[in-house]
Amino acid sequence: MNIRSDLQAVSPLLSRLIEYSKVFDDYNRDRWPHLKNNEDFKSVYQLPWPQRDPLEGIYGDGRDLAVFMAPRLTEFNSAASFPTLKSFVDSFNGGWIYQTDLLKETSQYAKDKAAELEPPPWAVNQMIKLFDEQIELLTATKQTIDALRQTDIYKWESDVTKSTIHTTEYEKILECIHAIGKMFERLPSTYSGKDEEHLRDHILVTLGAAILGSPTGETFNKRGKTDILVRGAGSNEFIGECKYWRGSEVYQSTISQLLNYLSWRDNKAAIIFFVPNKEFTSIMGKIKSSTPNHPNFSRFISEQDETWLNYEFKLNEDPDRIVRVAVMAYHVPKMV
């Protein structure tokens, strides 16, 4: 594959991504399908759900990772999608390359379940091994992406776009959280039953690696402890609350709680809901219908995604001061 002419200065690093892409493509087209269809993996379907789910999850998440990364690592050649090196590099923020700790947990969980079987299917052990190989390749990919951030092209583009950047730091934070929330949904057996603090800590770890600023948890701000606080250059870039969904009344009180934490200078916030209910669609309907009922509600801004809604609210002590609040919900069902 040729590398576009304006990125030739970083061609050694981009060539490495091309080679990694080829490996992911081989995994997707050959190794994952072979282990699932041509070996003894079908015996997994005879297991009870608590043992079957994590073993099926290894295939599902491993194959999804290979499907996504194979073409993704060569998309720098598309000027229409990524006009600059910086736009390509920054597009990985909050994605798979920052999820290796979560993937390692998934792998270990599958290993523990496989160890309970006497003997485990041969294909299962091979899938877990392949899954771990992909984690190593993902780590190497992150190192390469990080190296691209240190290049002169990336630094020059960062200076050029500093005053005209289209994605604010707040939006980067939200995009990162959204990626993590979707990861929770992809790995239900890993995160089912985890408490709010455990899920929040996963968000904090990934934010720390993916954005500028200093993310902290359980930090005092004004009148109480907020779950997530990201400080920038002398100000709070983001304040967030993580909650399990417990009904519309609790949602209303959560909005009040969040607004109570905010000082006059804090105007970017979010509420992140973990929804264990089976009727997830109806929960989103309740969020949409009940949000305007809050006394501080100002207006609906946009629906960024089916589970990511943007609103504006008024501060209690200064109704002329408007706060932007993203309400984000992710399905973390209870496993039976």
Side-chain angles (χ1 to χ4, degrees):
M1 175 183 289
N2 294 325
I3 295 173
R4 58 193 249 200
S5 58
D6 59 318
L7 299 181
Q8 285 297 312
V10 293
S11 60
L13 291 172
L14 296 179
S15 295
R16 182 177 294 177
L17 293 183
I18 292 172
E19 295 306 311
Y20 294 163
S21 170
K22 293 177 182 177
V23 178
F24 278 118
D25 188 59
D26 176 65
Y27 289 169
N28 171 42
R29 295 177 182 274
D30 182 34
R31 294 184 64 182
W32 284 115
H34 175 82
L35 290 173
K36 183 175 186 290
N37 301 318
N38 300 329
E39 300 294 344
D40 58 352
F41 186 76
K42 59 181 177 294
S43 61
V44 168
Y45 301 124
Q46 301 171 9
L47 298 173
W49 178 253
Q51 290 179 315
R52 171 184 167 184
D53 179 49
L55 303 183
E56 283 190 305
I58 282 289
Y59 171 78
D61 293 323
R63 185 75 184 276
D64 285 349
L65 174 58
V67 168
F68 177 81
M69 295 300 291
R72 187 69 175 78
L73 294 179
T74 60
E75 288 182 345
F76 56 80
N77 264 339
S78 172
S81 300
F82 300 106
T84 64
L85 176 68
K86 184 179 187 302
S87 62
F88 172 71
V89 169
D90 289 352
S91 70
F92 287 89
N93 289 349
W96 281 104
I97 66 172
Y98 294 102
Q99 309 297 332
T100 52
D101 286 343
L102 307 183
L103 294 172
K104 288 176 182 177
E105 289 186 10
T106 300
S107 175
Q108 187 57 54
Y109 186 43
K111 290 171 184 173
D112 293 342
K113 291 299 181 181
E116 297 174 2
L117 306 177
E118 296 183 1
W122 180 85
V124 166
N125 284 334
Q126 294 303 306
M127 281 187 179
I128 293 173
K129 181 180 178 182
L130 180 57
F131 194 86
D132 288 345
E133 289 177 10
Q134 289 194 161
I135 293 175
E136 292 181 7
L137 193 58
L138 209 59
T139 300
T141 300
K142 180 181 181 300
Q143 291 172 343
T144 306
I145 293 295
D146 288 344
L148 286 168
R149 295 183 194 277
Q150 303 304 314
T151 62
D152 290 339
I153 292 179
Y154 181 90
K155 292 178 180 178
W156 174 77
E157 289 173 348
S158 297
D159 289 338
V160 168
T161 59
K162 188 177 296 181
S163 61
T164 59
I165 190 166
H166 296 294
T167 304
T168 67
E169 195 66 21
Y170 172 58
E171 289 166 339
K172 288 181 183 178
I173 293 168
L174 294 179
E175 288 169 0
C176 185
I177 292 173
H178 190 52
I180 303 166
K182 289 191 290 185
M183 172 66 75
F184 292 160
E185 293 179 335
R186 286 197 299 268
L187 305 174
S189 60
T190 302
Y191 297 102
S192 176
K194 302 295 185 183
D195 58 25
E196 293 166 357
E197 183 177 351
H198 182 96
L199 298 176
R200 180 208 64 194
D201 287 346
H202 277 297
I203 294 174
L204 283 171
V205 169
T206 307
L207 280 177
I211 65 167
L212 299 174
S214 303
T216 60
E218 288 294 324
T219 304
F220 276 101
N221 192 62
K222 195 182 178 185
R223 295 191 182 92
K225 284 185 178 181
T226 184
D227 283 334
I228 301 174
L229 176 64
V230 179
R231 297 191 188 280
S235 63
N236 296 333
E237 292 288 347
F238 174 81
I239 292 173
E241 277 295 300
C242 298
K243 299 282 187 183
Y244 267 98
W245 175 262
R246 296 185 176 91
S248 298
E249 290 185 9
V250 176
Y251 172 42
Q252 293 286 314
S253 65
T254 300
I255 297 174
S256 299
Q257 178 185 3
L258 177 66
L259 295 176
N260 196 49
Y261 289 158
L262 303 179
S263 69
W264 185 83
R265 297 187 184 278
D266 302 326
N267 61 4
K268 299 178 288 293
I271 299 171
I272 303 104
F273 281 118
F274 311 123
V275 181
N277 310 56
K278 293 181 179 179
E279 304 83 7
F280 185 69
T281 301
S282 69
I283 300 304
M284 291 307 305
K286 291 178 182 178
I287 289 175
K288 293 177 181 179
S289 63
S290 63
T291 302
N293 297 333
H294 194 276
N296 293 64
F297 175 80
S298 176
R299 71 184 181 101
F300 169 74
I301 301 175
S302 64
E303 183 172 320
Q304 195 86 9
D305 182 86
E306 288 181 314
T307 66
W308 170 3
L309 309 171
N310 296 311
Y311 297 96
E312 286 183 351
F313 290 85
K314 303 172 185 177
L315 277 181
N316 287 325
E317 298 169 358
D318 189 348
D320 293 327
R321 188 67 169 173
I322 297 298
V323 178
R324 183 174 172 182
V325 178
V327 180
M328 314 170 84
Y330 303 99
H331 196 205
V332 187
K334 294 179 180 178
M335 306 303 295
V336 179

